[in-house]
Amino acid sequence: MNYQKLDTALAMALNDVPDPQEPSLAVFIHTEPVLDAAATAVLENSGISGVTSGKDIFTATLSPNAISQLSEEPWVKYLKLSQKLHLVNRKISMRSFGI
């Protein structure tokens, strides 16, 4: 595992995953903009679809083992944990905004 390519949140989340084989972490994969056929094959074998030349950011839900493998690839610049989005509470009254 090349921890220098992981953001802090991803490095911390890896410690909390009980099964290293289970795809459980949503990540952004930042790569070199031009990927060769071997790099494209590695991404596709990791379950990433839509790999095209010129694209340099991919999203996927990966296992810790897959993250470790990708972090060692020279064409991967860094991996970042995706943040969970929260819905805005629709019950907030417009009066609370002074309207």
Side-chain angles (χ1 to χ4, degrees):
M1 177 88 66
N2 184 345
Y3 284 96
Q4 293 181 347
K5 292 185 179 179
L6 308 182
D7 75 335
T8 304
L10 180 56
M12 300 277 291
L14 286 170
N15 294 328
D16 296 333
V17 176
D19 183 1
Q21 301 292 332
E22 176 82 24
S24 57
L25 297 169
V27 296
F28 291 101
I29 305 155
H30 295 257
T31 67
E32 298 293 332
V34 179
L35 298 175
D36 61 14
T40 300
V42 169
L43 288 173
E44 289 176 345
N45 288 338
S46 296
I48 302 165
S49 60
V51 180
T52 59
S53 182
K55 191 173 176 183
D56 60 354
I57 300 174
F58 304 93
T59 57
T61 301
L62 300 175
S63 69
N65 286 349
I67 291 169
S68 176
Q69 177 190 2
L70 286 175
S71 74
E72 298 294 338
E73 297 291 346
W75 43 267
V76 172
K77 292 174 56 186
Y78 58 95
L79 298 145
K80 183 177 178 182
L81 182 66
S82 174
Q83 299 296 315
K84 292 182 179 178
L85 299 177
H86 301 282
L87 295 175
V88 175
N89 186 353
R90 293 178 186 234
K91 293 183 178 181
I92 294 176
S93 170
M94 295 305 279
R95 283 183 265 161
S96 65
F97 293 109
I99 299 174

